[in-house]
């Protein structure tokens, strides 16, 4: 646990394993919340995060994600004392700035939330304000904790920082489970504070052992100034992203009290494939793309290969979410107090998000392709433009057209589509030398395969679901021959969790087989890449890491959607 990870492979494997564990624990956390609180109450809890998150994301996360780690890593080469001094000063500056804005916003929280979430009544707003003031304390722990994360990752200690988010989620889960009967909605808030404190404390001993210490001073050294300069573009982009997230709260509050819960739950699910397949492949491809940035043909070949493989993996997952949205919602959030209306509304949100899962993942890869070409301005400008488009669409879909909360998810998907297409267009102008349609052909093959798979999954889901036959709510009831079928012999009563799980697994497996079969028929090269990957995972023996491994490990900035 204390030793450094000496190779990129070992570090990447560890990080990916922890990402999976964190995503699973995140879903468990949401399930626990749905067990104790109805959607109307949870919306107040999620809304209370908006102000603390805004301050933290813009002023703190934006800095550490893009600037602190590179500067600290370079300082280590020049002298450890200088590097540790920089880390200590950044902690002090981060706390001073965060406390300043936190105090101001806490004092005026009632007015601010009246502007940001006008749909909540006076009593609900008072609850949000009281919860937000407690949550500011949790974010204060993160100010220090993220510095420690940057320090440890710069020194190639990835395990402890990767464990920290797990303890954060555990704090929320345990705080909610044990305190909800007595504290009510304040229980998960106390859990957040406990989780944030654990996130900090688990990293502190190792950081101190390696040389970190708190310094009683603030000094604008050249390294501190460089961190501020490097962080500026990222802070600007993060600021616009937070405006977009605040807009989502604003419009969802006008729809209904519970709408923000539906939106948050749907977003939590769609981030799983985006993080696992999109962010992970994008991060893995970045070093190779950077090495080949001086060779346009090799760069283009590597980029397209990663793009096709990513699309091949993400497109069927998006299809799975669209077709099986209701079973997924019921399995993940289906507690006794999570109503059928809540299930349906969250399902709509998940479907609308799923349309944009592929383009979110693609945009992540394309943005890093620009970074590999030492161009950070273009992706930031395109990102901000897509955020402004999303905000405009939020207004049009919700206030003008009167859509439900799923309209916010649809606006996000449209914005991510525009972002991905724009990034691809400008990148293709720079390194492309083939036709646009020909380059997209492998992705079109994946879409066709997924479409066929989705149709098969939909028919199977409806055919074996007892509720469909009884309520006559699908096309099956219109088929003459179906009227004489004794469906009770083969259908599953999906009111029971075990039956619903069995049906979901069967439909998923059949859909996966159909997808792979159609991909083979369409002569997709990516399907064989997939089979080779599975074969390597199952049969490859992993060689031990040499004691003097020469491959450098350069930490990448933390990815928000990852």
């Amino acid at each position: 646990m204390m030793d450094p990870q000496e190779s990129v492979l070992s570090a990447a494997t560890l990080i990916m394993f922890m990402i999976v564990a964190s995503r699973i624990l995140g879903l468990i956390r949401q399930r626990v919340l749905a067990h104790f609180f109805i959607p109307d109450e949870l919306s107040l809890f999620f809304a209370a995060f908006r102000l603390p998150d805004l301050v933290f994301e813009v002023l703190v996360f934006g800095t550490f994600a893009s600037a602190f780690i590179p500067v600290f890593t370079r300082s280590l080469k020049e002298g450890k004392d200088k590097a540790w001094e920089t880390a200590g000063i950044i902690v002090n500056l981060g706390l001073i700035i965060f406390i300043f804005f936190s105090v101001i916003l806490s004092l005026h929280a009632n007015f601010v939330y009246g502007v940001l979430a006008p749909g909540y009544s006076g009593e609900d707003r008072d609850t949000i304000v009281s919860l937000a003031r407690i949550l500011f304390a949790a974010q204060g722990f993160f100010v220090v904790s993220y510095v420690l994360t940057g320090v440890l990752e710069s020194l190639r200690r990835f395990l402890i920082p990767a464990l920290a988010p797990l303890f954060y989620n555990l704090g929320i889960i345990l705080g909610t489970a044990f305190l909800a009967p007595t504290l009510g909605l304040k229980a998960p808030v106390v859990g957040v504070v406990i989780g944030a404190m654990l996130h900090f404390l688990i990293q502190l001993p190792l950081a101190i052992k390696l040389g970190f210490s708190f310094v009683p001073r603030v000094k604008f050294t050249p390294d501190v100034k460089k961190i501020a300069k490097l962080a500026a573009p990222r802070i600007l982009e993060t600021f616009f992203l937070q405006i977009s997230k605040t807009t989502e709260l604003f419009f969802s509050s006008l729809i209904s009290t519970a709408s923000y819960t539906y939106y948050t739950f749907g977003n939590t699910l769609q981030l799983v494939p985006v993080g696992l397949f999109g962010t992970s492949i994008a991060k893995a491809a970045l070093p190779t793309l950077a090495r080949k940035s001086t060779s346009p043909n090799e760069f283009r070949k590597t980029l397209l290969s990663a793009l096709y493989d990513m699309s091949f993996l993400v497109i069927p997952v998006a299809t799975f979410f669209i077709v099986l949205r209701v079973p997924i919602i019921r399995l993940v959030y289906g507690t006794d107090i999570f109503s059928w209306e809540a299930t349906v509304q969250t399902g709509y949100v998940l479907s609308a998000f799923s349309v944009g899962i592929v383009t979110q993942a693609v945009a992540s890869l394309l943005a890093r392709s620009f970074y590999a070409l030492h161009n950070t301005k273009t992706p930031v400008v395109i990102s901000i433009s897509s955020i402004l488009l999303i905000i405009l669409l939020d207004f049009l879909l919700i206030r003008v057209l009167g859509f439900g909360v799923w309209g916010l998810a649809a606006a996000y998907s449209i914005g991510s589509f525009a972002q991905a297409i724009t990034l691809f267009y400008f990148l293709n102008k720079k390194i492309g030398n083939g036709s646009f349609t020909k380059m997209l052909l492998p992705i079109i093959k994946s879409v066709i395969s997924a479409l066929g798979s989705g149709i098969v999954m939909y028919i199977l889901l409806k055919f074996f679901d007892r509720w469909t036959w009884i309520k006559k709510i699908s096309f099956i009831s219109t088929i003459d021959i179906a009227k004489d079928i004794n469906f009770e012999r083969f259908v599953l009563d999906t009111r029971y969790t075990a039956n619903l799980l069995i049906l979901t697994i069967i439909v998923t497996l059949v859909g996966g087989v159909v997808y792979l079969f159609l991909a083979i028929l369409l002569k997709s090269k990516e399907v064989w890449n997939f089979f080779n990957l599975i074969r390597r995972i199952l049969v490859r023996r992993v060689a031990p890491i040499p004691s003097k491994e020469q491959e450098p490990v350069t930490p990448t900035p933390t990815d928000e959607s990852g």
Side-chain angles (χ1 to χ4, degrees):
M1 295 184 69
M2 303 295 181
D3 293 338
Q5 279 67 54
E6 296 292 350
S7 74
V8 172
L9 177 61
S10 63
T13 302
L14 175 65
I15 292 171
M16 278 302 303
F17 178 80
M18 289 303 174
I19 286 177
V20 173
S22 180
R23 295 296 187 190
I24 293 174
L25 208 57
L27 291 176
I28 295 173
R29 177 197 67 206
Q30 303 292 56
R31 170 78 182 205
V32 170
L33 291 172
H35 176 77
F36 286 98
F37 306 103
I38 62 174
D40 295 74
E41 294 174 313
L42 284 178
S43 283
L44 307 183
F45 170 67
F46 293 135
F49 270 100
R50 191 80 301 273
L51 274 184
D53 267 358
L54 188 151
V55 176
F56 172 76
E57 294 279 350
V58 174
L59 298 178
V60 180
F61 185 80
T63 300
F64 299 136
S66 59
F68 175 75
I69 290 178
V71 174
F72 180 80
T73 303
R74 193 177 302 112
S75 293
L76 282 173
K77 298 177 181 179
E78 300 172 1
K80 290 186 177 181
D81 292 340
K82 179 183 177 183
W84 293 123
E85 181 187 39
T86 299
I89 292 174
I90 288 297
V91 167
N92 295 338
L93 285 173
L95 284 173
I96 290 171
I97 296 172
F98 181 79
I99 291 172
F100 174 77
F101 283 98
S102 297
V103 170
I104 291 177
L105 290 175
S106 292
L107 293 175
H108 300 88
N110 201 298
F111 169 76
V112 176
Y113 273 108
V115 175
L116 301 185
Y120 293 117
S121 65
E123 184 178 347
D124 287 342
R125 190 182 305 161
D126 290 340
T127 301
I128 293 172
V129 169
S130 65
L131 298 181
R133 287 170 175 162
I134 301 173
L135 290 171
F136 271 115
Q139 300 292 45
F141 280 110
F142 279 125
V143 173
V144 184
S145 189
Y146 265 79
V147 176
L148 301 184
T149 298
V151 165
L152 295 178
E153 289 186 351
S154 297
L155 294 168
R156 306 193 310 275
R157 267 72 173 185
F158 293 97
L159 178 57
I160 297 298
L163 284 173
L166 302 184
F167 280 84
Y168 172 66
N169 280 322
L170 281 174
I172 301 175
I173 292 170
L174 295 177
T176 303
F178 286 104
L179 300 177
T182 55
L183 295 183
L185 198 57
K186 286 187 177 179
V189 177
V190 173
V192 170
V193 177
I194 294 172
M197 184 171 59
L198 292 175
H199 191 284
F200 159 66
L201 291 176
I202 191 177
Q203 299 184 89
L204 183 61
L206 179 57
I208 291 176
K209 180 181 178 181
L210 294 173
F212 173 81
S213 63
F214 295 96
V215 296
R217 60 184 178 276
V218 172
K219 188 166 65 172
F220 291 94
T221 65
D223 279 351
V224 173
K225 292 179 181 178
K226 190 162 191 175
I227 289 173
K229 183 178 180 180
L230 290 174
R234 175 62 173 170
I235 289 175
L236 179 64
E237 181 183 6
T238 305
F239 176 72
F240 277 94
L241 180 61
Q242 290 303 307
I243 290 178
S244 176
K245 290 184 177 181
T246 303
T247 303
E248 293 162 358
L249 171 62
F250 178 90
F251 286 114
S252 65
S253 73
L254 297 176
I255 297 171
S256 70
T257 304
S259 290
Y260 200 50
T261 295
Y262 306 149
Y263 183 85
T264 303
F265 277 178
N267 188 41
T268 300
L269 282 170
Q270 70 104 15
L271 285 176
V272 174
V274 172
L276 290 181
F277 300 121
T279 305
S280 61
I281 292 177
K283 285 184 176 181
L286 179 57
T288 304
L289 290 170
R291 286 196 301 269
K292 297 181 178 180
S293 59
T294 57
S295 176
N297 288 335
E298 289 297 317
F299 182 92
R300 179 174 177 274
K301 183 178 178 181
T302 301
L303 171 61
L304 291 179
S305 177
L307 177 64
Y308 298 153
D309 286 336
M310 174 189 289
S311 301
F312 182 82
L313 293 172
V314 177
I315 289 173
V317 176
T319 306
F320 165 76
F321 275 2
I322 293 172
V323 175
L324 295 169
R325 60 186 182 277
V326 171
I328 294 170
I329 299 300
R330 288 176 61 194
L331 288 171
V332 177
Y333 304 123
T335 62
D336 292 337
I337 60 175
F338 197 75
S339 67
W340 176 250
E341 173 65 16
T343 300
V344 171
Q345 293 300 324
T346 307
Y348 287 152
V349 172
L350 180 59
S351 291
F353 267 129
S354 297
V355 176
I357 285 177
V358 179
T359 50
Q360 286 182 64
V362 168
S364 178
L365 173 64
L366 297 179
R368 283 172 172 80
S369 299
F370 277 100
Y371 300 156
L373 295 171
H374 306 285
N375 180 349
T376 57
K377 181 180 178 181
T378 300
V380 169
V381 171
I382 293 174
S383 175
I384 292 175
S385 300
S386 68
I387 290 170
L388 293 175
L389 174 62
I390 291 171
I391 294 173
L392 175 62
L393 290 171
D394 286 339
F395 173 77
L396 292 176
L397 296 181
I398 303 301
R399 301 304 293 169
V400 177
L401 298 179
F403 288 0
V405 68
W406 64 269
L408 297 174
Y412 192 87
S413 293
I414 295 171
S416 66
F417 176 80
Q419 181 185 13
I421 290 297
T422 307
L423 285 169
F424 189 81
Y425 172 78
F426 282 103
L427 195 60
N428 185 53
K429 282 185 66 176
K430 190 174 184 64
I431 54 95
N433 58 3
S435 73
F436 194 80
T437 305
K438 187 176 180 181
M439 282 190 290
L440 293 180
L441 184 59
I443 298 178
I444 294 173
K445 291 180 180 179
S446 296
V447 170
I448 295 173
S449 300
L451 181 62
S453 172
I455 293 173
V456 172
M457 286 193 292
Y458 179 78
I459 293 173
L460 286 176
L461 181 66
K462 298 301 181 183
F463 191 78
F464 289 104
D465 186 354
R466 182 174 180 270
W467 188 254
T468 300
W469 289 85
I470 293 176
K471 294 297 181 179
K472 298 181 179 180
I473 55 177
S474 80
F475 67 94
I476 293 177
S477 60
T478 63
I479 302 175
D480 291 335
I481 192 173
K483 297 176 181 178
D484 300 324
I485 295 177
N486 184 6
F487 61 85
E488 292 286 1
R489 292 183 176 180
F490 56 84
V491 296
L492 291 170
D493 190 344
T494 53
R495 291 176 297 175
Y496 300 99
T497 302
N499 289 344
L500 181 62
L501 181 60
I502 291 171
L503 179 59
T504 303
I505 292 174
I506 291 174
V507 171
T508 302
L509 290 175
V510 173
V513 171
V514 171
Y515 177 74
L516 295 175
F517 175 73
L518 291 176
I520 293 173
L521 287 182
L522 293 173
K523 299 180 180 180
S524 170
K525 294 180 180 179
E526 287 66 43
V527 69
W528 302 113
N529 293 342
F530 173 75
F531 287 142
N532 288 332
L533 174 64
I534 298 299
R535 179 179 58 82
R536 289 198 302 269
I537 292 174
L538 295 177
V539 305
R540 183 180 62 180
R541 293 180 60 187
V542 180
I545 299 172
S547 58
K548 295 184 178 180
E549 175 65 62
Q550 297 300 312
E551 184 180 14
V553 178
T554 303
T556 57
T558 304
D559 194 289
E560 287 182 284
S561 60

